[in-house]
Amino acid sequence: MRSTKAKLIAGDGPLSRVPPLAAFVVVAAVFVVGVVVRGVPGALLLGLLAAGVAVLLAATWGVLTSSQRFGRLLILGLLIAVAASVVLVK
């Protein structure tokens, strides 16, 4: 069984020093605030989150398998759909 402390993808970039739990909490908090706030401010927060996901996806694209790429693209698409619904659904 794999250690929960092991890196998912080897690297020494700036995010390699961020504890995974801290990253999860920040992303979850931004998502919840974006959904709760609704309207344009909420959509902007979710859009910022989607941009971050897109940048991370682009940076790791070469080392991901096709199923990992699909999963991450699915999450990105769902995040964009939620951002759009926050603005469009009253």
Side-chain angles (χ1 to χ4, degrees):
M1 181 169 204
R2 213 176 105 114
S3 168
T4 58
K5 302 261 184 207
K7 291 183 179 180
L8 297 176
I9 297 176
D12 60 353
L15 290 178
S16 68
R17 293 180 287 281
V18 176
L21 181 61
F24 174 79
V25 168
V26 169
V27 168
V30 170
F31 181 81
V32 168
V33 169
V35 170
V36 170
V37 168
R38 303 198 67 78
V40 174
L44 288 175
L45 281 173
L46 294 170
L48 181 66
L49 199 56
V53 169
V55 167
L56 288 174
L57 179 60
T60 58
W61 189 264
V63 296
L64 298 174
T65 65
S66 59
S67 62
Q68 290 172 324
R69 290 175 182 169
F70 175 77
R72 284 162 175 80
L73 285 170
L74 181 64
I75 295 298
L76 181 59
L78 289 171
L79 185 55
I80 291 169
V82 170
S85 74
V86 163
V87 154
L88 299 175
V89 178
K90 304 245 184 239

